[in-house]
Amino acid sequence: MVVGPDASISDQVPVGEPPAEAEGSQKAIEGRSLGQIAWRRLKRDKAAMAGGIVIILLILIAIFAPLIVHAWGYDPNSFHQETMDPATQAPTSTFPFGAFDSKHLMGVEPPFGRDIFSRVLYGARISLLIAFLATLLSVVIGATLGVIAGYLGGWADWLISRAMDLFLAFPILVFAIALAGVIPDKAFGLSGDTLRIVLLIFIIGFFNWGYMARIVRGQTLSLREREFVDASRSLGARSGYILRKELLPNLVAPILIYATLLIPTNILFEAGLSFLGVGIRPPTATWGGMLSEAVRYYTMPHFMFWPGLAIFVTVLAFNLFGDGLRDALDPKTR
């Protein structure tokens, strides 16, 4: 088609025939949400993905521990005296590090011959349960008080900030040892392991909310000066609506990041209390309790190795995943 230099665009392009560059743009460009962008960043972090996979495996192991033990182990509290030498209280196996065989995958513990594999799996249930619920309690208290202090300011901010200082300075380990030692076997309608678990969740969760509250308060102080909060105020929104609809959704990322980093701390704290003898009481299997009993048998490294390895792998996995999640949700922290 020949046209002159003064011809218009409509003359140069026949009606009903799309321009050449428009043919390749028929497919609409699909945008990405903030969640999709964060997921793409997280997938590129191999260490964080490895930590996430380990966390998922640990959770599945804790949930299905009875089925796994039924298939490849024994009851965690049953004795196997035939595997022990009554004179030396050592495993009768000639293997250097304990009675490893198809029946006892991680060996047996002295002096009763209880299966270490089963006890490590059941110990995961106690450690993860206490760590998750204690973290949830800290997040609920800390996030609520932190956002109130940061948004309202004034006397509310002063009062909550002084409470943060008090709880951050509180000797939680000494208090936990004292409180766990004086609580009777039956209290508040609970008894046995249930009472000890609830007590540990309360001690660890209630006295650790100060860290979460400080982080949320600092983020709230920054967010309350943003334009979308001022727009909500100008439209007549009340404080409750702004807190729920404007501030809390923007605080999910820092809360989630700190929660993933708080879980391994709580796992170590629970293991430490059990190691000191004020956590879950024997014969219930816990990683800290197994380490405490293994101290007397330092010549048998397999007894101490497996619960120590379980704590190390769990804490490392949560830390790697938490660091990767922080970089994915807030790239400015890199």
Side-chain angles (χ1 to χ4, degrees):
M1 178 178 178
V2 180
V3 296
D6 297 331
S8 63
I9 298 299
S10 60
D11 294 333
Q12 297 179 25
V13 180
V15 178
E17 187 176 325
E21 62 273 11
E23 294 179 358
S25 60
Q26 295 297 321
K27 184 178 179 181
I29 298 176
E30 182 181 356
R32 298 192 186 100
S33 65
L34 294 178
Q36 291 173 327
I37 295 174
W39 172 241
R40 286 172 62 89
R41 294 197 193 107
L42 185 62
K43 286 194 298 183
R44 288 196 293 265
D45 192 335
K46 303 302 181 183
M49 292 302 296
I53 292 173
V54 172
I55 291 172
I56 293 174
L57 291 177
L58 287 170
I59 294 174
L60 293 177
I61 288 173
I63 294 174
F64 298 106
L67 298 178
I68 299 174
V69 168
H70 179 74
W72 291 294
Y74 292 89
D75 182 271
N77 296 323
S78 61
F79 295 169
H80 302 278
Q81 299 287 1
E82 70 279 2
T83 63
M84 306 300 297
D85 185 347
T88 62
Q89 292 188 342
T92 55
S93 172
T94 57
F95 193 80
F97 300 111
F100 293 90
D101 51 40
S102 58
K103 297 181 179 179
H104 304 284
L105 301 179
M106 295 182 180
V108 294
E109 65 172 24
F112 305 113
R114 292 181 294 190
D115 185 59
I116 295 180
F117 174 75
S118 302
R119 293 183 66 78
V120 168
L121 262 60
Y122 272 83
R125 308 185 86 187
I126 298 293
S127 294
L128 293 180
L129 175 65
I130 293 176
F132 278 125
L133 293 182
T135 300
L136 179 62
L137 180 60
S138 297
V139 166
V140 171
I141 298 176
T144 303
L145 295 180
V147 73
I148 292 175
Y151 180 74
L152 296 182
W155 66 268
D157 185 21
W158 182 89
L159 185 62
I160 295 175
S161 296
R162 300 294 76 77
M164 294 180 201
D165 296 336
L166 177 64
F167 276 86
L168 290 175
F170 199 82
I172 180 174
L173 181 60
V174 177
F175 177 78
I177 294 174
L179 183 60
V182 299
I183 293 294
D185 293 334
K186 292 184 179 181
F188 313 111
L190 304 173
S191 62
D193 291 341
T194 304
L195 175 61
R196 309 299 294 187
I197 290 174
V198 171
L199 181 62
L200 289 178
I201 291 172
F202 171 76
I203 293 174
I204 298 174
F206 182 74
F207 291 94
N208 273 332
W209 64 265
Y211 298 99
M212 176 66 71
R214 281 208 163 171
I215 293 174
V216 174
R217 174 183 176 273
Q219 294 289 330
T220 305
L221 288 174
S222 175
L223 288 173
R224 74 176 185 179
E225 306 299 333
R226 300 286 292 273
E227 293 80 2
F228 61 89
V229 177
D230 290 336
S232 296
R233 290 198 193 99
S234 64
L235 292 174
R238 297 184 178 182
S239 297
Y241 177 86
I242 296 176
L243 289 174
R244 293 193 314 271
K245 300 296 184 179
E246 303 292 348
L247 295 181
L248 282 180
N250 289 280
L251 293 171
V252 170
I255 290 174
L256 186 60
I257 291 169
Y258 187 72
T260 57
L261 298 175
L262 185 61
I263 290 174
T265 303
N266 291 340
I267 291 176
L268 289 174
F269 196 92
E270 183 276 328
L273 291 178
S274 296
F275 181 85
L276 295 174
V278 294
I280 305 300
R281 293 176 178 175
T284 302
T286 61
W287 291 341
M290 293 179 67
L291 286 175
S292 179
E293 295 174 3
V295 171
R296 296 176 295 172
Y297 302 95
Y298 56 89
T299 57
M300 305 175 194
H302 77 287
F303 188 14
M304 184 178 294
F305 173 77
W306 294 113
L309 180 64
I311 295 175
F312 171 77
V313 170
T314 303
V315 172
L316 179 62
F318 274 104
N319 283 331
L320 290 176
F321 183 73
D323 289 340
L325 190 63
R326 178 187 58 197
D327 294 338
L329 295 177
D330 190 4
K332 294 182 293 184
T333 60
R334 291 185 178 181

